[in-house]
Amino acid sequence: MRPYSELAEGLFVLNVPMFPLYVLRGGRHQGGAMIDCAVLAKAGEIREKLAALLGSERLAMTLLTHSHYDHVGACSLLQEAHDFAIIASQRTKDVLDSDKAVAFIDDLNQKFKALENDRSDSRFIRPRSVRAVAEGDRVDLPDGRRLEVYETPGHTRCSLAFLLRPGNVLFAGDAAGVVERSGRIKPLFLSSYSMYEASLQKLLGLDADLLALAHNAAVQGRGRVRAFLEGSLAETRRLKEKIVAWLGESQDFARIAERILAEEYDAPTLLGPREALLINVTAMVKSVFHEFVKVP
Ligand SMILES: [Zn+2]
């Protein structure tokens, strides 16, 4: 496997299985910008592949789409080598400032390391130099391009998407859903179903020409991006209807979550601790309950 590929002019992807890492690097080579940081277990692989792409140059900045353990895990280790600034939402900044949250992110990363037989003593610690951005902000890249910032809550409350101009490339984190290698899309409305659906509509309205997904794939071409996001929306609504029906039978969130895991997540996109998956699925059941079932 080649260490990286060029997806579009000045847009590279580090070929890390399950965790494609997008690096923006223009012609003048003034350091690059990366989107998200994957898991701690991949830090060594990312560092090597970055070196293959950048040589002795360093990343100037890393933008975080949200604060999940599998998007920030390698951050603190990579910062040792690259000393980049981190750009994220205020909520992500707050999470990374919390000792309790940092310990939780480290714990899930240690579990992921165990699954990968990584016995090193690496740890996730609080990253440095985090700058908060919000809807409507613009992030100027070292190469003269810019990223527009969009708030896309629903997957988490801290989620952001970034749109590259020029180029019309959308970095949506997990707000667009997570795609399996089979092409099937898994909705992940962990903090709010309604906000997740509204965020998907917002992403559709951006008319991106390339959708750089955080896991497994990138979708190229405006028509394909639109079809993907519409498919994601349809899957999201289908899963909600299913959860509403199950909640009509019983309000045992844990049991419904197990049922979803068995029926919908039989071929998990992301290898990872089952605990993290169960937390996610239970959160979706609770969100549907509070927004559609519960009588106030
Ligand atoms: Zn996520």
Side-chain angles (χ1 to χ4, degrees), residues 211-222:
L211 175 62
L213 295 167
H215 301 292
N216 293 329
V219 183
Q220 305 223 35
R222 189 173 295 198

Side-chain angles (χ1 to χ4, degrees), residues 65-72 91-92 95-96 105 156 158:
T65 59
H66 61 300
S67 63
H68 273 161
Y69 83 99
D70 58 331
H71 292 254
V72 305
R91 282 184 191 279
T92 292
V95 167
L96 297 176
I105 291 168
T156 60
C158 61

Side-chain angles (χ1 to χ4, degrees), residues 11-33:
L11 170 61
F12 299 85
V13 60
L14 305 182
N15 295 318
V16 177
M18 293 188 292
F19 301 100
L21 287 144
Y22 301 99
V23 179
L24 294 160
R25 187 175 186 236
R28 276 161 290 156
H29 294 193
Q30 292 157 316

